[in-house]
Amino acid sequence: MAEARIVVVGAGVAGLTTALTLSSHARYDITLAAKYMPGDYDIEYTSTWAGANYQPTSRDGTLAAECDLQTWPHLERLARHHPEAGVHFQENVTYTREKDESSVHGASRSRCIYSERFKSMIPNYKQIPQDRLPPGYDAGISFTSVCINTALYLPWLLSQCLKAGVVVRRRVFTHISEAAQAHHSGKQADLVVNCTGLGAGKLGGVEDKEMVPVRGQTVLVRNDPGIMCQASGTEDGADEMAYIMQRAAGGGTILGGCYQLGNWESQVDPNLAVRIMKRAVDLCPSITGGKGIEHLSVIRHNVGLRPLRLSGTRLEKEKIGELWVVHNYGHGGYGYQSSYGCSQVAAELADDALTPKSKL
């Protein structure tokens, strides 16, 4: 019989993965409550717009890096044994330039080249010889990664939650304490897990002023690049990016992108879209057979807002009034690749909060 009632707020990749992780504990009776669900397309629902791939860029020795590393075995298992999840292996090539190392994006790409833990864990890690680098690049690596078809993966996560006994409800909260009343049993929850992403900036009882949007814009095309590819920087500005990743199971190929800190704009910038497509063709000419951007077959243009927390992902427990709340939000653009590691930390925090403490 379940001993503790838990409400997980948010049904993006963080909320779904956390609910699924908690469901492995027989003593928990779990409700997942969220405004948006898999299948929704809204600027506030970040997870549906993600690429999404795996390439750890956190600094070695940090909790973020540990969560990235703990997530890889789960994604590898899904790619190997569960094709229905929409995760597949893809060869990744990353090129870097020394002049980009002062930028946020460039520095993060350099870290994955020099991280010893990354080298030891990721399959088929290799340094690209200098004579095989495209003109203008100073270093490069290749390795086996995964790319996720978010249109399949999010519903799959939800189905796994339902299979495990999680009850799912559409709910909108103005204060985190309201979530304690949303448990499907009709009784008050013993603990709430806050996975509200960018919404944590406005949610009553949380109102985290460190939360800022980082606007991303991508183009989804039908073309097959044959490889996942990205560069440390572009000539179009410090907040513009160049990457290509093909989603699993016919999900199309994502071309990106940008990293626009503090930008809430939900509409597509057509000039940026053209620059994104040009950079993609330059970076990976095989995507159009050596032809121009007019040979890209566009499915749609996307805009999403990464939920960045300036001081890093919030993974901690807090007592708000008489209610225990575990926070798991603020992952920026790394929600998928840290999802299982972060959810395990959140589950451990929940265990600690709900475990009676002996009195000395």
Side-chain angles (χ1 to χ4, degrees):
M1 185 174 181
E3 298 177 3
R5 294 178 293 275
I6 296 177
V7 174
V8 178
V9 183
V13 68
L16 291 166
T17 311
T18 301
L20 183 58
T21 300
L22 287 167
S23 72
S24 65
H25 298 251
R27 75 188 190 101
Y28 294 152
D29 189 15
I30 303 164
T31 298
L32 177 69
K35 180 178 182 179
Y36 299 105
M37 292 287 172
D40 293 350
Y41 285 87
D42 191 282
I43 191 65
E44 294 183 3
Y45 188 46
T46 300
S47 292
T48 195
W49 304 110
N53 72 335
Y54 183 89
Q55 180 162 342
T57 55
S58 301
R59 291 179 175 85
D60 282 350
T62 63
L63 177 60
E66 189 61 31
C67 288
D68 288 348
L69 292 169
Q70 292 301 321
T71 298
W72 171 254
H74 296 274
L75 296 178
E76 183 180 37
R77 173 179 55 83
L78 294 178
R80 201 172 298 281
H81 301 296
H82 296 277
E84 72 279 9
V87 182
H88 72 158
F89 291 114
Q90 196 168 34
E91 291 308 304
N92 182 306
V93 174
T94 297
Y95 301 117
T96 64
R97 308 180 303 182
E98 290 180 1
K99 66 180 182 179
D100 297 324
E101 291 184 7
S102 61
S103 71
V104 173
H105 183 64
S108 68
R109 291 296 170 263
S110 293
R111 282 197 291 272
C112 74
I113 286 183
Y114 300 114
S115 169
E116 292 301 323
R117 290 195 69 186
F118 182 71
K119 293 178 185 179
S120 66
M121 185 190 67
I122 297 297
N124 304 315
Y125 181 100
K126 298 175 184 175
Q127 295 274 352
I128 299 174
Q130 288 286 327
D131 60 1
R132 290 180 52 202
L133 294 172
Y137 292 99
D138 302 301
I141 56 171
S142 65
F143 59 93
T144 301
S145 182
V146 295
C147 189
I148 302 167
N149 184 345
T150 61
L152 293 180
Y153 185 60
L154 293 172
W156 181 84
L157 278 176
L158 181 59
S159 73
Q160 297 306 295
C161 287
L162 293 168
K163 184 178 178 181
V166 176
V167 176
V168 180
R169 296 284 187 266
R170 291 264 188 179
R171 293 289 187 273
V172 179
F173 305 115
T174 59
H175 195 284
I176 191 65
S177 62
E178 296 170 4
Q181 310 304 320
H183 195 268
H184 62 271
S185 66
K187 300 177 181 179
Q188 178 155 321
D190 300 295
L191 181 139
V192 169
V193 185
N194 173 23
C195 299
T196 55
L198 202 53
K202 297 181 179 179
L203 181 63
V206 182
E207 297 173 291
D208 192 332
K209 302 307 180 186
E210 290 196 61
M211 290 302 300
V212 294
V214 180
R215 183 180 180 274
Q217 181 172 316
T218 62
V219 184
L220 181 64
V221 301
R222 297 178 178 86
N223 305 64
D224 181 356
I227 197 169
M228 185 188 301
C229 192
Q230 50 200 308
S232 62
T234 78
E235 297 300 319
D236 294 323
D239 63 356
E240 299 204 14
M241 306 159 70
Y243 58 84
I244 300 167
M245 58 186 78
Q246 186 179 27
R247 288 175 167 176
T253 298
I254 289 285
L255 313 179
C258 63
Y259 193 88
Q260 298 174 340
L261 185 67
N263 188 339
W264 291 90
E265 179 55 59
S266 63
Q267 299 305 303
V268 171
D269 177 344
N271 294 321
L272 174 57
V274 171
R275 294 196 299 274
I276 287 171
M277 291 187 285
K278 285 183 176 179
R279 291 196 295 263
V281 171
D282 289 342
L283 184 64
C284 183
S286 63
I287 196 170
T288 58
K291 301 175 183 178
I293 67 171
E294 65 273 13
H295 292 275
L296 289 170
S297 178
V298 176
I299 299 171
R300 67 170 178 264
H301 297 270
N302 306 314
V303 176
L305 302 177
R306 304 173 182 92
L308 179 69
R309 188 166 184 263
L310 294 174
S311 63
T313 301
R314 189 178 185 190
L315 277 167
E316 61 183 5
K317 68 180 189 294
E318 175 186 17
K319 200 119 187 224
I320 299 178
E322 296 301 311
L323 176 67
W324 273 113
V325 177
V326 170
H327 299 287
N328 180 13
Y329 67 83
H331 306 90
Y334 309 112
Y336 282 84
Q337 71 178 33
S338 66
S339 55
Y340 286 93
C342 288
S343 70
Q344 186 56 51
V345 173
E348 291 167 1
L349 291 168
D351 289 344
D352 184 65
L354 293 171
T355 301
K357 305 298 187 294
S358 60
K359 296 182 179 179
L360 298 178

